[in-house]
Amino acid sequence: MGLFPELDEDQTIKNVKYYFEHEFPRLKVRSHMNIASIQSPSFDTVGTSGTTRNTQEDKIMGQLWATDLVKATYKMVERMPDGPDNHYFKTIIKYCFLYGKGNTVALEQTGYESSRYFECKRMAMLYFADSFSDYYDMEVNVMKNENSGV
């Protein structure tokens, strides 16, 4: 057994795609929520159920959490290796997911042939999942079971 648990690469890549295609856009919108849109607290207790939950605080905390994740996403992408000797990881993630330009534009930016581009894209997504794991867990580990032989 190695230093790190074995990674289910296909599922981890699916998680990265899902994050960028579904969750990241929602986080960006939520992180820019206008603080002024949050209502003032009401102290009128007539007709209330008596909940002790502070929904205004929940909204602010949710906005701060979303802002942190958006900033961390950009920071992690910016720190990814890039260039001809480093597989253009940053270029691929930026054009495919941050700029929303898709594979065609990212492929043109890297100058790779199609098969090499998709190989590097897989590596870039795995690299992102690993570097982003302190903020958001996307990695899926393969469980080794002695009885199953896996």
Side-chain angles (χ1 to χ4, degrees):
M1 181 170 170
L3 183 61
F4 297 105
E6 188 178 346
L7 198 61
D8 181 341
E9 292 182 0
D10 292 334
Q11 188 59 47
T12 299
I13 288 169
K14 286 179 187 176
N15 290 348
V16 172
K17 284 181 185 177
Y18 186 85
Y19 174 76
F20 277 115
E21 293 171 359
H22 299 281
E23 294 176 354
F24 187 62
R26 291 183 68 205
L27 288 169
K28 287 194 304 186
V29 169
R30 189 165 189 192
S31 69
H32 291 101
M33 183 175 62
N34 185 356
I35 284 287
S37 69
I38 298 175
Q39 299 172 355
S40 298
S42 173
F43 298 106
D44 182 15
T45 59
V46 178
T48 63
S49 63
T51 181
T52 59
R53 193 159 173 102
N54 186 340
T55 57
Q56 300 307 317
E57 182 180 326
D58 292 346
K59 287 180 184 179
I60 292 169
M61 293 306 293
Q63 180 184 5
L64 293 174
W65 174 75
T67 301
D68 284 346
L69 281 178
V70 169
K71 286 179 180 178
T73 300
Y74 283 113
K75 184 169 94 177
M76 290 301 118
V77 171
E78 202 53 45
R79 291 182 175 177
M80 291 179 82
D82 205 33
D85 297 334
N86 291 309
H87 312 294
Y88 291 105
F89 287 173
K90 179 171 44 174
T91 299
I92 292 169
I93 296 295
K94 273 186 170 182
Y95 281 93
C96 270
F97 298 115
L98 296 185
Y99 301 161
K101 300 294 183 184
N103 289 320
T104 305
V105 175
L107 180 66
E108 290 171 5
Q109 293 296 317
T110 62
Y112 287 141
E113 293 294 324
S114 181
S115 59
R116 177 68 177 147
Y117 165 78
F118 284 106
E119 178 184 329
C120 289
K121 183 179 178 183
R122 281 182 62 86
M123 290 189 299
M125 288 189 284
L126 293 171
Y127 188 95
F128 177 81
D130 187 46
S131 64
F132 199 61
S133 62
D134 288 343
Y135 298 96
Y136 192 88
D137 191 20
M138 297 178 184
E139 297 178 321
V140 179
N141 295 320
V142 175
M143 299 299 288
K144 289 193 176 187
N145 185 338
E146 292 176 18
N147 296 334
S148 68
V150 176

